[in-house]
């Protein structure tokens, strides 16, 4: 069957079941009556039972692991995570196989999981993203089931829908007490918001809090509160928080990226959305994080005071809060360990769950309320569809993150990207994989001009009136092709190695194995 | 059928369905596999939709009211509540009938609901308690369905189990923003913790936040966060917070009550639980609140530092936090509007939901962790069963509250009560209605000595070693009978006017209509 973007989607996939084809950015509204959510598990613990375990192995054993189960993690430590590998080694030692890993994302820190994929310990993955050796291994078809790529909000929905049915949640905490009250906000490995782990703790059959910093009861704040937690254990280290910032979460110094960021800021300033009360998010990677720097400058100059920042929080965000440029920050994850102290100390810097951040399945996530978002891209096509997941070689080598969530919700969603990188075109006729549908992307800002989605004539007018360089995206794609040549077609086999789940649970695209 | 206390329970009741007989304080553990929880409702709101309504009527209309629906409220404003009546007047105006009211409790402020019961607007009630004219009306059999009395923790469980299936939650907030972030912690009608409304907001098909104090977005803290909220409206007043303290939440000055409170404190001090790290709760009413005063004094004298206070929070609690006698307070409700500022400003004064406070259906509520609780009673029998719901005339005239929740969880649960009041015996052979089972009551402290549950030989030893006045409860009951005479038997009809649901959902007792 074909989804509304014309993508061929199988009716079902073994191990995943029946697939729902994508029907539009807000297609969920039309089929809400058919949606079945699952309850949280029924638990009833006796009073005064001791949740503490001598080590992670004991906590895992008490959680009754079994072959074929689903284990969840959060990725707040990003490149510094050291918990998943410790857990997998224990599962392997216990002889548990056929595990489904449901991590809010996976990074280059998870190359160490490759042997567990190759030997059948891990056979299924749900993640927002995947990179490095692990990405290559999955792209080579090493998993018996396709990886399911979800957005951050989509993951919260998938857990509520029981599509991700967590048997054991193993959640890193920078501080925790003996009852399981846990936070990422303080401690030697402080990573900030614990937003991605909150929903896991609620819905997992067994929730284990793992910390390298046991504190006296009660651990405050309780980002994950004790009544969701079954077991608590202390280990030597949950990871290296210094490695949170780096890669896609570090603000670029590349002149081209900065130029594009400046152009994006100018575009934002030219719209009606740049006014008192503006709310704003920047995504990870390349030029997008840098947009905040220019917006900050403009807000000071033009004496504009914003309402809230959302994210994905860097020190640029916390600086703007301190300066009074924005009145609050809603923080689902820290892009830098240093923002933890702001989260801990400033009541207007508010920790939120992924459900509250971006899920389409509630009474209104923060992404539903945002004015402006600036996002990155690996490819953008002339229908404004965005690929943030597959590389030029067809490998799965990126992350969906909050991309489609914020794009769907924002009044003004901007994709910032160079028109080409080296010999690789970024603006193309057809993206290889759609993660974010064009209908929810308003502007594409490149160093060769700004393309406005034809659905947004209002924006086109405002940008032209401001004298900005507005271009037709088809012309730009053609110009790029003239410069770098027609991109080599990535040949693929028929084997589906990845499924891109849109935030609402429908399938927006599938990823086939690249021929090598 | 008979439950394990020998109480005759019907197999089912029209309008309530099949009943589960009580099997023991922790009977839930044995039937956990049979428990079916319900999911939260599937909602998917479009971005940037306006939740604000011009008035409560508009918000109610948008929530699609219908005959036979269930409407929930919290009772944080206690005697000062003015929201329920405003909502009911609108329902009546709209011609909605056969409404089930699910309020976390009902107080003398709700006498105004009597006409709505008499005219069939309200036909079913779930509540922790009921008093005054409304209690008398229900006791006279005016409701077509028996009132279901639940504990605070049991209510959270009942909502998760779908026994209370909320169509519209109408929740008073002392401050809220246009997205529905809401709190009781600040504003002219500040009432403190919003703990009883949190689970309603999550599980209701439609959640309406009603405030008399709309603040700029974002309202911080968001005791109820926006993504659970469908509509927001501002009204003239949600009630009179000055009336929160009063009646059962005011600390007694009666010499007899103070004497008993002092004896209870002495008993606590004599046990092994009185040491560094002690955790403590006092219940509403009579002598129990006063126990905290004496405990405070002893802690200072003996240099004991506690871990946490739980409750039901009075200024005595916040004073002890300030003094460093306890390290934290977990607050599900304020017994005095004045404690709001402590909750707002002291990070160790922590707001918790009723689920986290006392539900048996999670990984460990705070009541599971508490050492000592001091509770009141209307009657206690020689099996240590406690009645806190029916009066000497057989009318429903009290509240279950957290009584059975804390009694079940505490290491040391103490009931404090005079052995008789006027000509009414309190210590009796058989209580008229069991709310808290004797197996979870350790001590009964009266002005005529302390009775120790035979299950707790350890306590008996400790109290005797301290030279305290330990007595057999049967002897005490006999002595009381000799003083005040045999209590008049309350004759009842066969009609069941109330069902007392134990915290785990089983039926611990039923209340039959008193003959008048």
């Amino acid at each position: 069957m074909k989804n509304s973007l014309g993508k061929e989607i199988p009716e079902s996939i073994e191990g995943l079941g029946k697939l729902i084809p994508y029907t539009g950015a807000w297609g969920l509204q039309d089929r809400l009556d058919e949606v079945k959510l699952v309850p949280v598990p029924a638990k009833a613990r006796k009073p005064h039972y001791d949740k503490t375990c001598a080590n992670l192995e004991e906590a895992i054993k008490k959680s009754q692991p079994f072959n074929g189960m689903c284990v969840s993690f959060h990725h707040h430590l990003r490149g510094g995570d050291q918990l998943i590998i410790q857990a997998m080694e224990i599962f392997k030692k216990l002889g548990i196989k056929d595990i489904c890993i449901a991590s809010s994302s996976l990074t280059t820190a998870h190359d160490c999981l490759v042997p567990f994929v190759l030997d059948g310990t891990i056979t299924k993955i749900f993640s927002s993203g995947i990179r490095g050796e692990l990405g290559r291994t999955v792209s080579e078809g090493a998993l018996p089931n396709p990886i399911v790529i979800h957005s951050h909000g989509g993951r919260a929905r998938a857990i509520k829908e029981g599509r991700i049915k967590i048997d054991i949640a193993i959640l890193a905490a920078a501080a925790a007490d003996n009852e399981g009250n846990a936070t990422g906000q303080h401690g030697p490995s402080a990573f900030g918001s614990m937003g991605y782990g909150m929903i896991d703790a609620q819905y997992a059959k067994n929730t284990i809090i793992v910390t390298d910093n046991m504190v006296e009861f009660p651990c405050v704040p309780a980002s994950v509160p004790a009544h969701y937690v079954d077991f608590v254990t202390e280990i030597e280290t949950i990871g290296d928080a210094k490695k949170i910032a780096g890669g896609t979460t570090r603000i670029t110094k590349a002149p081209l990226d900065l130029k594009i960021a400046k152009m994006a800021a100018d575009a934002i300033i030219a719209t009606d959305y740049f006014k008192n009360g503006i709310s704003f998010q920047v995504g990870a990677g390349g030029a997008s994080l840098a947009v905040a720097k220019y917006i900050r400058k403009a807000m000071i100059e033009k004496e504009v005071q914003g309402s809230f920042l959302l994210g994905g929080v860097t020190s640029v965000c916390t600086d703007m809060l301190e300066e009074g440029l924005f009145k609050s920050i809603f923080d689902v994850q820290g892009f830098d360990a240093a923002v933890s102290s702001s989260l801990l100390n400033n009541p207007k810097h508010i920790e939120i769950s992924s459900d509250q951040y971006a899920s389409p399945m509630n009474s209104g996530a923060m992404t539903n309320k945002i004015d402006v978002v600036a996002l990155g891209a690996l490819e953008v096509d002339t229908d404004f569809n965005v690929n943030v997941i597959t590389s030029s070689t067809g490998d799965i080598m990126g992350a969906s993150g909050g991309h489609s969530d914020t794009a769907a919700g924002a009044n003004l969603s901007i994709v910032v990207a160079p028109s080409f990188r080296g010999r690789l075109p970024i603006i193309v006729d057809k993206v290889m994989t759609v993660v974010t549908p064009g209908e929810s992307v308003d502007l594409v800002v490149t160093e060769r001009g700004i393309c406005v989605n034809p659905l947004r004539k209002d924006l086109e007018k405002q940008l032209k009136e401001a004298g900005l360089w507005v271009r037709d995206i088809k012309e730009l794609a053609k110009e790029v092709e003239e410069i770098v040549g027609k991109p080599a077609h990535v040949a693929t086999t028929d084997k589906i190695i990845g499924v891109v789940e849109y935030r609402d649970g429908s399938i927006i695209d599938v990823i086939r194995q690249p021929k090598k």
Side-chain angles (χ1 to χ4, degrees), chain A residues 217-462:
Chain A
F217 179 92
C219 173
V220 174
S223 306
V224 168
H227 63 304
Y228 298 150
V229 178
D230 300 288
F231 304 107
V232 187
T233 192
E234 193 171 24
I235 61 175
E236 186 74 21
T237 179
I238 56 169
D240 183 356
K242 288 193 297 294
K243 292 186 179 163
I244 295 170
T248 57
T249 63
R250 187 167 286 160
I251 295 177
T252 184
K253 284 176 182 160
L256 178 65
D257 283 342
L258 291 175
K259 179 185 174 183
I260 297 166
K262 174 74 169 62
M263 288 173 70
D266 288 343
I268 293 165
I269 294 160
T271 69
D272 290 347
Y273 301 113
F274 189 75
K275 63 181 178 202
N276 284 332
I278 188 174
S279 54
F280 184 55
Q281 173 169 348
V282 289
S288 46
L289 280 174
V291 177
K293 281 176 42 173
Y294 296 103
I295 287 294
R296 171 177 171 265
K297 216 176 140 206
M299 290 178 77
I300 294 170
E301 279 170 19
K302 296 176 192 287
E303 295 182 4
V304 167
Q305 193 189 23
S307 172
F308 68 91
L309 288 160
L310 184 62
V313 174
T314 62
S315 56
V316 177
C317 299
T318 53
D319 287 350
M320 288 197 282
L321 180 65
E322 295 286 329
E323 291 167 337
L325 292 179
F326 286 88
K327 293 184 181 170
S328 57
I329 297 176
F330 288 84
D331 185 347
V332 70
Q333 74 169 316
F335 278 166
D336 183 334
V339 306
S340 301
S341 64
S342 165
L343 184 57
L344 182 63
N345 297 309
N346 191 330
K348 295 281 186 177
H349 185 160
I350 301 157
E351 185 174 31
I352 55 172
S353 69
S354 55
D355 186 24
Q356 189 174 2
Y357 168 53
S359 171
M361 192 65 83
N362 59 36
S363 301
M366 291 306 296
T367 51
N368 265 12
K369 191 178 160 60
I370 199 154
D371 285 321
V372 181
V373 67
L375 299 160
L378 294 173
E379 286 181 313
V380 185
D381 71 21
T382 53
D383 290 326
F384 290 80
N385 296 313
V386 182
N387 170 21
V388 285
I389 198 74
T390 46
S391 72
S392 60
T393 57
D395 289 336
I396 307 177
M397 206 58 69
S400 169
H403 204 286
S404 64
D405 298 315
T406 47
N411 281 319
L412 173 61
S413 65
I414 305 177
V415 169
V416 288
S419 59
F420 59 92
R421 284 192 187 96
R423 301 303 298 172
L424 287 176
I426 308 293
I427 309 299
V428 295
D429 274 353
K430 283 279 164 211
V431 291
M432 183 175 179
T433 313
V434 181
V435 173
T436 295
E439 70 166 293
S440 60
V441 174
D442 299 311
L443 302 181
V444 176
V445 179
T446 75
E447 83 290 2
R448 291 175 180 267
I450 301 169
C451 308
V452 184
N453 190 318
L455 296 169
R456 298 298 304 268
K457 297 290 176 211
D458 58 328
L459 292 176
E460 188 178 340
K461 188 162 169 272
Q462 288 163 29

